[in-house]
PDB file of all heavy atoms in Angstrom:
ATOM      1  N   CYS A   1     113.169  87.858  97.531  1.00 97.00           N
ATOM      2  CA  CYS A   1     113.711  87.823  96.177  1.00 97.00           C
ATOM      3  C   CYS A   1     115.240  87.653  96.210  1.00 97.00           C
ATOM      4  O   CYS A   1     115.757  86.829  95.385  1.00 97.00           O
ATOM      5  CB  CYS A   1     113.398  89.096  95.468  1.00 97.00           C
ATOM      6  SG  CYS A   1     111.591  89.378  95.148  1.00 97.00           S
ATOM      7  N   VAL A   2     115.917  88.333  97.082  1.00 96.00           N
ATOM      8  CA  VAL A   2     117.403  88.279  97.193  1.00 96.00           C
ATOM      9  C   VAL A   2     117.809  86.868  97.643  1.00 96.00           C
ATOM     10  O   VAL A   2     118.913  86.401  97.269  1.00 96.00           O
ATOM     11  CB  VAL A   2     117.894  89.384  98.127  1.00 96.00           C
ATOM     12  CG1 VAL A   2     119.398  89.188  98.489  1.00 96.00           C
ATOM     13  CG2 VAL A   2     117.657  90.725  97.507  1.00 96.00           C
ATOM     14  N   ALA A   3     117.023  86.217  98.474  1.00 96.00           N
ATOM     15  CA  ALA A   3     117.397  84.931  99.025  1.00 96.00           C
ATOM     16  C   ALA A   3     117.345  83.814  97.939  1.00 96.00           C
ATOM     17  O   ALA A   3     117.906  82.748  98.081  1.00 96.00           O
ATOM     18  CB  ALA A   3     116.484  84.515 100.135  1.00 96.00           C
ATOM     19  N   LEU A   4     116.685  84.074  96.828  1.00 95.00           N
ATOM     20  CA  LEU A   4     116.567  83.085  95.758  1.00 95.00           C
ATOM     21  C   LEU A   4     117.894  82.954  95.023  1.00 95.00           C
ATOM     22  O   LEU A   4     118.618  83.965  94.815  1.00 95.00           O
ATOM     23  CB  LEU A   4     115.493  83.439  94.708  1.00 95.00           C
ATOM     24  CG  LEU A   4     114.062  83.454  95.267  1.00 95.00           C
ATOM     25  CD1 LEU A   4     113.108  84.034  94.281  1.00 95.00           C
ATOM     26  CD2 LEU A   4     113.636  82.100  95.756  1.00 95.00           C
ATOM     27  N   ASP A   5     118.291  81.768  94.602  1.00 93.00           N
ATOM     28  CA  ASP A   5     119.556  81.528  93.902  1.00 93.00           C
ATOM     29  C   ASP A   5     119.586  82.318  92.593  1.00 93.00           C
ATOM     30  O   ASP A   5     118.798  82.040  91.701  1.00 93.00           O
ATOM     31  CB  ASP A   5     119.641  80.047  93.625  1.00 93.00           C
ATOM     32  CG  ASP A   5     120.905  79.637  92.880  1.00 93.00           C
ATOM     33  OD1 ASP A   5     121.760  80.508  92.539  1.00 93.00           O
ATOM     34  OD2 ASP A   5     121.136  78.415  92.682  1.00 93.00           O
ATOM     35  N   ALA A   6     120.510  83.214  92.483  1.00 89.00           N
ATOM     36  CA  ALA A   6     120.654  84.102  91.286  1.00 89.00           C
ATOM     37  C   ALA A   6     121.140  83.317  90.091  1.00 89.00           C
ATOM     38  O   ALA A   6     121.129  83.819  88.983  1.00 89.00           O
ATOM     39  CB  ALA A   6     121.478  85.279  91.604  1.00 89.00           C
ATOM     40  N   GLY A   7     121.630  82.096  90.246  1.00 92.00           N
ATOM     41  CA  GLY A   7     122.093  81.287  89.189  1.00 92.00           C
ATOM     42  C   GLY A   7     120.938  80.603  88.372  1.00 92.00           C
ATOM     43  O   GLY A   7     121.190  79.944  87.404  1.00 92.00           O
ATOM     44  N   HIS A   8     119.754  80.867  88.762  1.00 96.00           N
ATOM     45  CA  HIS A   8     118.561  80.334  88.139  1.00 96.00           C
ATOM     46  C   HIS A   8     117.652  81.457  87.701  1.00 96.00           C
ATOM     47  O   HIS A   8     117.705  82.517  88.277  1.00 96.00           O
ATOM     48  CB  HIS A   8     117.784  79.362  89.046  1.00 96.00           C
ATOM     49  CG  HIS A   8     118.513  78.102  89.301  1.00 96.00           C
ATOM     50  ND1 HIS A   8     119.477  77.944  90.257  1.00 96.00           N
ATOM     51  CD2 HIS A   8     118.396  76.860  88.715  1.00 96.00           C
ATOM     52  CE1 HIS A   8     119.903  76.711  90.279  1.00 96.00           C
ATOM     53  NE2 HIS A   8     119.320  76.024  89.309  1.00 96.00           N
ATOM     54  N   ARG A   9     116.809  81.105  86.719  1.00 96.00           N
ATOM     55  CA  ARG A   9     115.750  82.061  86.311  1.00 96.00           C
ATOM     56  C   ARG A   9     114.524  81.582  87.160  1.00 96.00           C
ATOM     57  O   ARG A   9     114.104  80.420  87.035  1.00 96.00           O
ATOM     58  CB  ARG A   9     115.459  81.984  84.835  1.00 96.00           C
ATOM     59  CG  ARG A   9     114.395  82.919  84.371  1.00 96.00           C
ATOM     60  CD  ARG A   9     114.274  83.001  82.890  1.00 96.00           C
ATOM     61  NE  ARG A   9     113.659  81.793  82.364  1.00 96.00           N
ATOM     62  CZ  ARG A   9     113.024  81.665  81.192  1.00 96.00           C
ATOM     63  NH1 ARG A   9     112.983  82.746  80.384  1.00 96.00           N
ATOM     64  NH2 ARG A   9     112.554  80.541  80.768  1.00 96.00           N
ATOM     65  N   HIS A  10     113.979  82.507  87.932  1.00 98.00           N
ATOM     66  CA  HIS A  10     112.821  82.176  88.775  1.00 98.00           C
ATOM     67  C   HIS A  10     111.565  82.718  88.158  1.00 98.00           C
ATOM     68  O   HIS A  10     111.427  83.932  87.955  1.00 98.00           O
ATOM     69  CB  HIS A  10     113.025  82.753  90.166  1.00 98.00           C
ATOM     70  CG  HIS A  10     114.167  82.119  90.892  1.00 98.00           C
ATOM     71  ND1 HIS A  10     113.992  81.004  91.697  1.00 98.00           N
ATOM     72  CD2 HIS A  10     115.470  82.415  90.910  1.00 98.00           C
ATOM     73  CE1 HIS A  10     115.159  80.641  92.163  1.00 98.00           C
ATOM     74  NE2 HIS A  10     116.096  81.476  91.700  1.00 98.00           N
ATOM     75  N   ILE A  11     110.668  81.784  87.737  1.00 98.00           N
ATOM     76  CA  ILE A  11     109.399  82.189  87.100  1.00 98.00           C
ATOM     77  C   ILE A  11     108.312  82.210  88.135  1.00 98.00           C
ATOM     78  O   ILE A  11     107.970  81.275  88.773  1.00 98.00           O
ATOM     79  CB  ILE A  11     109.034  81.085  85.995  1.00 98.00           C
ATOM     80  CG1 ILE A  11     110.243  80.667  85.153  1.00 98.00           C
ATOM     81  CG2 ILE A  11     107.840  81.484  85.236  1.00 98.00           C
ATOM     82  CD1 ILE A  11     110.836  81.834  84.400  1.00 98.00           C
ATOM     83  N   VAL A  12     107.716  83.455  88.266  1.00 98.00           N
ATOM     84  CA  VAL A  12     106.632  83.608  89.224  1.00 98.00           C
ATOM     85  C   VAL A  12     105.342  83.843  88.499  1.00 98.00           C
ATOM     86  O   VAL A  12     105.281  84.543  87.481  1.00 98.00           O
ATOM     87  CB  VAL A  12     106.918  84.812  90.158  1.00 98.00           C
ATOM     88  CG1 VAL A  12     108.106  84.544  91.078  1.00 98.00           C
ATOM     89  CG2 VAL A  12     107.148  86.126  89.407  1.00 98.00           C
ATOM     90  N   PHE A  13     104.211  83.214  88.928  1.00 98.00           N
ATOM     91  CA  PHE A  13     102.956  83.289  88.228  1.00 98.00           C
ATOM     92  C   PHE A  13     101.804  82.882  89.182  1.00 98.00           C
ATOM     93  O   PHE A  13     102.068  82.332  90.288  1.00 98.00           O
ATOM     94  CB  PHE A  13     102.950  82.346  87.002  1.00 98.00           C
ATOM     95  CG  PHE A  13     103.295  80.906  87.313  1.00 98.00           C
ATOM     96  CD1 PHE A  13     102.314  79.942  87.452  1.00 98.00           C
ATOM     97  CD2 PHE A  13     104.649  80.503  87.506  1.00 98.00           C
ATOM     98  CE1 PHE A  13     102.658  78.651  87.774  1.00 98.00           C
ATOM     99  CE2 PHE A  13     104.982  79.149  87.743  1.00 98.00           C
ATOM    100  CZ  PHE A  13     103.964  78.271  87.951  1.00 98.00           C
ATOM    101  N   GLY A  14     100.612  83.184  88.761  1.00 98.00           N
ATOM    102  CA  GLY A  14      99.408  82.948  89.574  1.00 98.00           C
ATOM    103  C   GLY A  14      98.896  84.315  90.115  1.00 98.00           C
ATOM    104  O   GLY A  14      99.608  85.338  89.995  1.00 98.00           O
ATOM    105  N   ASP A  15      97.746  84.320  90.711  1.00 97.00           N
ATOM    106  CA  ASP A  15      97.161  85.612  91.169  1.00 97.00           C
ATOM    107  C   ASP A  15      97.990  86.214  92.277  1.00 97.00           C
ATOM    108  O   ASP A  15      98.071  87.440  92.407  1.00 97.00           O
ATOM    109  CB  ASP A  15      95.700  85.478  91.555  1.00 97.00           C
ATOM    110  CG  ASP A  15      95.430  84.619  92.773  1.00 97.00           C
ATOM    111  OD1 ASP A  15      96.334  83.908  93.281  1.00 97.00           O
ATOM    112  OD2 ASP A  15      94.278  84.589  93.207  1.00 97.00           O
ATOM    113  N   GLY A  16      98.697  85.406  93.001  1.00 97.00           N
ATOM    114  CA  GLY A  16      99.633  85.962  94.048  1.00 97.00           C
ATOM    115  C   GLY A  16     100.822  86.731  93.472  1.00 97.00           C
ATOM    116  O   GLY A  16     101.227  87.709  93.973  1.00 97.00           O
ATOM    117  N   ALA A  17     101.304  86.232  92.349  1.00 98.00           N
ATOM    118  CA  ALA A  17     102.414  86.886  91.642  1.00 98.00           C
ATOM    119  C   ALA A  17     101.980  88.136  90.911  1.00 98.00           C
ATOM    120  O   ALA A  17     102.680  89.149  90.833  1.00 98.00           O
ATOM    121  CB  ALA A  17     103.082  85.940  90.658  1.00 98.00           C
ATOM    122  N   ASP A  18     100.749  88.076  90.438  1.00 98.00           N
ATOM    123  CA  ASP A  18     100.241  89.246  89.645  1.00 98.00           C
ATOM    124  C   ASP A  18     100.154  90.514  90.471  1.00 98.00           C
ATOM    125  O   ASP A  18     100.229  91.638  89.868  1.00 98.00           O
ATOM    126  CB  ASP A  18      98.895  88.918  89.034  1.00 98.00           C
ATOM    127  CG  ASP A  18      98.953  87.874  87.949  1.00 98.00           C
ATOM    128  OD1 ASP A  18     100.066  87.532  87.512  1.00 98.00           O
ATOM    129  OD2 ASP A  18      97.882  87.408  87.477  1.00 98.00           O
ATOM    130  N   LYS A  19     100.010  90.413  91.762  1.00 97.00           N
ATOM    131  CA  LYS A  19      99.864  91.591  92.623  1.00 97.00           C
ATOM    132  C   LYS A  19     101.191  92.268  92.925  1.00 97.00           C
ATOM    133  O   LYS A  19     101.236  93.301  93.543  1.00 97.00           O
ATOM    134  CB  LYS A  19      99.105  91.324  93.873  1.00 97.00           C
ATOM    135  CG  LYS A  19      99.899  90.402  94.872  1.00 97.00           C
ATOM    136  CD  LYS A  19      99.059  90.123  96.035  1.00 97.00           C
ATOM    137  CE  LYS A  19      99.782  89.232  97.081  1.00 97.00           C
ATOM    138  NZ  LYS A  19      98.967  88.960  98.273  1.00 97.00           N
ATOM    139  N   ALA A  20     102.344  91.695  92.534  1.00 97.00           N
ATOM    140  CA  ALA A  20     103.614  92.175  92.960  1.00 97.00           C
ATOM    141  C   ALA A  20     104.546  92.512  91.744  1.00 97.00           C
ATOM    142  O   ALA A  20     105.743  92.416  91.828  1.00 97.00           O
ATOM    143  CB  ALA A  20     104.332  91.210  93.816  1.00 97.00           C
ATOM    144  N   THR A  21     103.931  93.081  90.677  1.00 96.00           N
ATOM    145  CA  THR A  21     104.730  93.368  89.459  1.00 96.00           C
ATOM    146  C   THR A  21     105.827  94.334  89.692  1.00 96.00           C
ATOM    147  O   THR A  21     106.876  94.220  89.134  1.00 96.00           O
ATOM    148  CB  THR A  21     103.772  93.864  88.329  1.00 96.00           C
ATOM    149  OG1 THR A  21     103.060  94.964  88.803  1.00 96.00           O
ATOM    150  CG2 THR A  21     102.827  92.760  87.891  1.00 96.00           C
ATOM    151  N   GLY A  22     105.625  95.291  90.588  1.00 95.00           N
ATOM    152  CA  GLY A  22     106.676  96.258  90.903  1.00 95.00           C
ATOM    153  C   GLY A  22     107.884  95.566  91.566  1.00 95.00           C
ATOM    154  O   GLY A  22     109.038  95.940  91.311  1.00 95.00           O
ATOM    155  N   LEU A  23     107.630  94.629  92.386  1.00 97.00           N
ATOM    156  CA  LEU A  23     108.689  93.842  93.069  1.00 97.00           C
ATOM    157  C   LEU A  23     109.530  93.063  92.051  1.00 97.00           C
ATOM    158  O   LEU A  23     110.794  93.071  92.057  1.00 97.00           O
ATOM    159  CB  LEU A  23     108.129  92.961  94.149  1.00 97.00           C
ATOM    160  CG  LEU A  23     109.140  92.114  94.924  1.00 97.00           C
ATOM    161  CD1 LEU A  23     110.059  92.994  95.751  1.00 97.00           C
ATOM    162  CD2 LEU A  23     108.364  91.169  95.853  1.00 97.00           C
ATOM    163  N   TRP A  24     108.847  92.381  91.147  1.00 97.00           N
ATOM    164  CA  TRP A  24     109.553  91.540  90.185  1.00 97.00           C
ATOM    165  C   TRP A  24     110.472  92.409  89.255  1.00 97.00           C
ATOM    166  O   TRP A  24     111.524  91.978  88.860  1.00 97.00           O
ATOM    167  CB  TRP A  24     108.596  90.730  89.312  1.00 97.00           C
ATOM    168  CG  TRP A  24     107.495  90.033  90.069  1.00 97.00           C
ATOM    169  CD1 TRP A  24     106.198  90.005  89.762  1.00 97.00           C
ATOM    170  CD2 TRP A  24     107.643  89.303  91.272  1.00 97.00           C
ATOM    171  NE1 TRP A  24     105.477  89.254  90.702  1.00 97.00           N
ATOM    172  CE2 TRP A  24     106.338  88.781  91.608  1.00 97.00           C
ATOM    173  CE3 TRP A  24     108.709  88.939  92.103  1.00 97.00           C
ATOM    174  CZ2 TRP A  24     106.113  87.990  92.721  1.00 97.00           C
ATOM    175  CZ3 TRP A  24     108.479  88.149  93.254  1.00 97.00           C
ATOM    176  CH2 TRP A  24     107.212  87.694  93.550  1.00 97.00           C
ATOM    177  N   ALA A  25     110.053  93.587  88.930  1.00 95.00           N
ATOM    178  CA  ALA A  25     110.782  94.473  88.039  1.00 95.00           C
ATOM    179  C   ALA A  25     112.117  94.862  88.590  1.00 95.00           C
ATOM    180  O   ALA A  25     113.099  95.200  87.840  1.00 95.00           O
ATOM    181  CB  ALA A  25     109.954  95.732  87.721  1.00 95.00           C
ATOM    182  N   LYS A  26     112.272  94.815  89.935  1.00 95.00           N
ATOM    183  CA  LYS A  26     113.532  95.201  90.589  1.00 95.00           C
ATOM    184  C   LYS A  26     114.605  94.069  90.607  1.00 95.00           C
ATOM    185  O   LYS A  26     115.722  94.290  91.051  1.00 95.00           O
ATOM    186  CB  LYS A  26     113.299  95.704  91.993  1.00 95.00           C
ATOM    187  CG  LYS A  26     112.391  96.922  92.085  1.00 95.00           C
ATOM    188  CD  LYS A  26     112.261  97.491  93.456  1.00 95.00           C
ATOM    189  CE  LYS A  26     111.841  96.558  94.506  1.00 95.00           C
ATOM    190  NZ  LYS A  26     111.643  97.157  95.870  1.00 95.00           N
ATOM    191  N   HIS A  27     114.229  92.886  90.264  1.00 96.00           N
ATOM    192  CA  HIS A  27     115.113  91.723  90.391  1.00 96.00           C
ATOM    193  C   HIS A  27     115.216  90.988  89.057  1.00 96.00           C
ATOM    194  O   HIS A  27     114.310  90.355  88.582  1.00 96.00           O
ATOM    195  CB  HIS A  27     114.567  90.757  91.487  1.00 96.00           C
ATOM    196  CG  HIS A  27     114.504  91.437  92.828  1.00 96.00           C
ATOM    197  ND1 HIS A  27     115.592  91.523  93.598  1.00 96.00           N
ATOM    198  CD2 HIS A  27     113.451  92.072  93.450  1.00 96.00           C
ATOM    199  CE1 HIS A  27     115.163  92.136  94.745  1.00 96.00           C
ATOM    200  NE2 HIS A  27     113.912  92.489  94.656  1.00 96.00           N
ATOM    201  N   VAL A  28     116.431  91.073  88.452  1.00 94.00           N
ATOM    202  CA  VAL A  28     116.611  90.541  87.086  1.00 94.00           C
ATOM    203  C   VAL A  28     116.485  89.012  86.942  1.00 94.00           C
ATOM    204  O   VAL A  28     116.213  88.518  85.868  1.00 94.00           O
ATOM    205  CB  VAL A  28     117.991  91.041  86.505  1.00 94.00           C
ATOM    206  CG1 VAL A  28     118.017  92.522  86.364  1.00 94.00           C
ATOM    207  CG2 VAL A  28     119.124  90.476  87.351  1.00 94.00           C
ATOM    208  N   HIS A  29     116.676  88.265  88.070  1.00 95.00           N
ATOM    209  CA  HIS A  29     116.545  86.795  87.978  1.00 95.00           C
ATOM    210  C   HIS A  29     115.116  86.314  88.197  1.00 95.00           C
ATOM    211  O   HIS A  29     114.849  85.180  88.150  1.00 95.00           O
ATOM    212  CB  HIS A  29     117.534  86.138  88.970  1.00 95.00           C
ATOM    213  CG  HIS A  29     117.272  86.433  90.365  1.00 95.00           C
ATOM    214  ND1 HIS A  29     117.352  87.718  90.918  1.00 95.00           N
ATOM    215  CD2 HIS A  29     116.930  85.605  91.427  1.00 95.00           C
ATOM    216  CE1 HIS A  29     117.099  87.655  92.228  1.00 95.00           C
ATOM    217  NE2 HIS A  29     116.847  86.418  92.510  1.00 95.00           N
ATOM    218  N   LEU A  30     114.162  87.239  88.379  1.00 97.00           N
ATOM    219  CA  LEU A  30     112.754  86.912  88.498  1.00 97.00           C
ATOM    220  C   LEU A  30     112.018  87.321  87.188  1.00 97.00           C
ATOM    221  O   LEU A  30     112.223  88.404  86.658  1.00 97.00           O
ATOM    222  CB  LEU A  30     112.108  87.669  89.617  1.00 97.00           C
ATOM    223  CG  LEU A  30     112.621  87.164  91.063  1.00 97.00           C
ATOM    224  CD1 LEU A  30     112.322  88.150  92.081  1.00 97.00           C
ATOM    225  CD2 LEU A  30     111.977  85.811  91.364  1.00 97.00           C
ATOM    226  N   PHE A  31     111.193  86.379  86.739  1.00 97.00           N
ATOM    227  CA  PHE A  31     110.450  86.583  85.453  1.00 97.00           C
ATOM    228  C   PHE A  31     109.003  86.271  85.740  1.00 97.00           C
ATOM    229  O   PHE A  31     108.614  85.174  86.138  1.00 97.00           O
ATOM    230  CB  PHE A  31     111.026  85.617  84.422  1.00 97.00           C
ATOM    231  CG  PHE A  31     110.534  85.849  83.038  1.00 97.00           C
ATOM    232  CD1 PHE A  31     110.972  86.950  82.273  1.00 97.00           C
ATOM    233  CD2 PHE A  31     109.614  85.005  82.436  1.00 97.00           C
ATOM    234  CE1 PHE A  31     110.503  87.159  80.970  1.00 97.00           C
ATOM    235  CE2 PHE A  31     109.134  85.202  81.144  1.00 97.00           C
ATOM    236  CZ  PHE A  31     109.616  86.351  80.437  1.00 97.00           C
ATOM    237  N   HIS A  32     108.165  87.278  85.580  1.00 98.00           N
ATOM    238  CA  HIS A  32     106.723  87.209  85.907  1.00 98.00           C
ATOM    239  C   HIS A  32     105.930  86.837  84.619  1.00 98.00           C
ATOM    240  O   HIS A  32     106.056  87.498  83.602  1.00 98.00           O
ATOM    241  CB  HIS A  32     106.222  88.572  86.445  1.00 98.00           C
ATOM    242  CG  HIS A  32     104.744  88.582  86.716  1.00 98.00           C
ATOM    243  ND1 HIS A  32     103.985  89.592  86.236  1.00 98.00           N
ATOM    244  CD2 HIS A  32     103.918  87.740  87.343  1.00 98.00           C
ATOM    245  CE1 HIS A  32     102.725  89.401  86.575  1.00 98.00           C
ATOM    246  NE2 HIS A  32     102.681  88.254  87.248  1.00 98.00           N
ATOM    247  N   ILE A  33     105.070  85.800  84.714  1.00 98.00           N
ATOM    248  CA  ILE A  33     104.174  85.434  83.690  1.00 98.00           C
ATOM    249  C   ILE A  33     102.768  85.819  84.201  1.00 98.00           C
ATOM    250  O   ILE A  33     102.201  85.167  85.085  1.00 98.00           O
ATOM    251  CB  ILE A  33     104.216  83.948  83.360  1.00 98.00           C
ATOM    252  CG1 ILE A  33     105.647  83.474  83.003  1.00 98.00           C
ATOM    253  CG2 ILE A  33     103.276  83.588  82.210  1.00 98.00           C
ATOM    254  CD1 ILE A  33     106.223  84.116  81.834  1.00 98.00           C
ATOM    255  N   PRO A  34     102.111  86.838  83.632  1.00 97.00           N
ATOM    256  CA  PRO A  34     100.854  87.276  84.140  1.00 97.00           C
ATOM    257  C   PRO A  34      99.700  86.353  83.719  1.00 97.00           C
ATOM    258  O   PRO A  34      99.736  85.632  82.747  1.00 97.00           O
ATOM    259  CB  PRO A  34     100.690  88.693  83.542  1.00 97.00           C
ATOM    260  CG  PRO A  34     101.462  88.672  82.284  1.00 97.00           C
ATOM    261  CD  PRO A  34     102.631  87.717  82.550  1.00 97.00           C
ATOM    262  N   SER A  35      98.606  86.484  84.536  1.00 96.00           N
ATOM    263  CA  SER A  35      97.279  85.912  84.170  1.00 96.00           C
ATOM    264  C   SER A  35      97.205  84.414  84.099  1.00 96.00           C
ATOM    265  O   SER A  35      96.343  83.861  83.432  1.00 96.00           O
ATOM    266  CB  SER A  35      96.744  86.502  82.896  1.00 96.00           C
ATOM    267  OG  SER A  35      96.738  87.951  82.981  1.00 96.00           O
ATOM    268  N   ILE A  36      98.165  83.655  84.725  1.00 97.00           N
ATOM    269  CA  ILE A  36      98.013  82.207  84.840  1.00 97.00           C
ATOM    270  C   ILE A  36      97.141  81.903  85.983  1.00 97.00           C
ATOM    271  O   ILE A  36      97.373  82.356  87.146  1.00 97.00           O
ATOM    272  CB  ILE A  36      99.386  81.546  84.940  1.00 97.00           C
ATOM    273  CG1 ILE A  36     100.335  81.908  83.804  1.00 97.00           C
ATOM    274  CG2 ILE A  36      99.229  80.026  85.099  1.00 97.00           C
ATOM    275  CD1 ILE A  36      99.954  81.392  82.484  1.00 97.00           C
ATOM    276  N   ARG A  37      96.059  81.151  85.740  1.00 96.00           N
ATOM    277  CA  ARG A  37      95.104  80.766  86.810  1.00 96.00           C
ATOM    278  C   ARG A  37      94.908  79.272  86.803  1.00 96.00           C
ATOM    279  O   ARG A  37      95.017  78.625  85.752  1.00 96.00           O
ATOM    280  CB  ARG A  37      93.757  81.479  86.547  1.00 96.00           C
ATOM    281  CG  ARG A  37      93.803  83.004  86.602  1.00 96.00           C
ATOM    282  CD  ARG A  37      94.087  83.470  88.058  1.00 96.00           C
ATOM    283  NE  ARG A  37      94.076  84.882  88.182  1.00 96.00           N
ATOM    284  CZ  ARG A  37      95.141  85.680  87.976  1.00 96.00           C
ATOM    285  NH1 ARG A  37      96.333  85.147  87.667  1.00 96.00           N
ATOM    286  NH2 ARG A  37      95.049  86.947  88.164  1.00 96.00           N
ATOM    287  N   PRO A  38      94.535  78.676  87.905  1.00 95.00           N
ATOM    288  CA  PRO A  38      94.244  77.253  87.910  1.00 95.00           C
ATOM    289  C   PRO A  38      93.024  76.981  87.049  1.00 95.00           C
ATOM    290  O   PRO A  38      92.038  77.733  87.124  1.00 95.00           O
ATOM    291  CB  PRO A  38      93.940  76.929  89.366  1.00 95.00           C
ATOM    292  CG  PRO A  38      93.925  78.169  90.170  1.00 95.00           C
ATOM    293  CD  PRO A  38      94.375  79.302  89.233  1.00 95.00           C
ATOM    294  N   SER A  39      93.100  75.971  86.203  1.00 95.00           N
ATOM    295  CA  SER A  39      92.006  75.687  85.266  1.00 95.00           C
ATOM    296  C   SER A  39      91.793  74.201  85.166  1.00 95.00           C
ATOM    297  O   SER A  39      92.610  73.394  85.625  1.00 95.00           O
ATOM    298  CB  SER A  39      92.338  76.276  83.860  1.00 95.00           C
ATOM    299  OG  SER A  39      93.260  75.407  83.199  1.00 95.00           O
ATOM    300  N   VAL A  40      90.700  73.831  84.528  1.00 93.00           N
ATOM    301  CA  VAL A  40      90.418  72.466  84.290  1.00 93.00           C
ATOM    302  C   VAL A  40      91.442  71.780  83.432  1.00 93.00           C
ATOM    303  O   VAL A  40      91.720  70.570  83.508  1.00 93.00           O
ATOM    304  CB  VAL A  40      88.928  72.270  83.730  1.00 93.00           C
ATOM    305  CG1 VAL A  40      88.887  72.785  82.295  1.00 93.00           C
ATOM    306  CG2 VAL A  40      88.499  70.858  83.878  1.00 93.00           C
ATOM    307  N   LEU A  41      92.142  72.582  82.609  1.00 95.00           N
ATOM    308  CA  LEU A  41      93.151  72.026  81.698  1.00 95.00           C
ATOM    309  C   LEU A  41      94.335  71.477  82.485  1.00 95.00           C
ATOM    310  O   LEU A  41      94.849  70.360  82.287  1.00 95.00           O
ATOM    311  CB  LEU A  41      93.595  72.977  80.630  1.00 95.00           C
ATOM    312  CG  LEU A  41      92.507  73.508  79.697  1.00 95.00           C
ATOM    313  CD1 LEU A  41      93.008  74.570  78.790  1.00 95.00           C
ATOM    314  CD2 LEU A  41      91.950  72.315  78.899  1.00 95.00           C
ATOM    315  N   GLY A  42      94.815  72.315  83.471  1.00 96.00           N
ATOM    316  CA  GLY A  42      95.891  71.918  84.317  1.00 96.00           C
ATOM    317  C   GLY A  42      95.517  70.767  85.232  1.00 96.00           C
ATOM    318  O   GLY A  42      96.253  69.847  85.453  1.00 96.00           O
TER     319      GLY A  42
END
């Protein structure tokens, strides 16, 4: 998380991101979008 460029907003999503909500809460430049899954629409 710290290695990511703090000058950008980093959007994390997918089932891999959903398991780390506690980690995202500690870093203000990370923004978690829950429940995004690969679908036929994408």
Side-chain angles (χ1 to χ4, degrees):
C1 295
V2 169
L4 296 173
D5 180 359
H8 288 84
R9 182 172 72 158
H10 294 271
I11 313 301
V12 295
F13 56 98
D15 66 352
D18 290 352
K19 69 181 181 180
T21 55
L23 180 63
W24 312 135
K26 298 189 306 185
H27 299 276
V28 296
H29 62 297
L30 290 162
F31 190 74
H32 174 232
I33 307 296
S35 304
I36 302 294
R37 297 292 182 271
S39 77
V40 70
L41 298 176

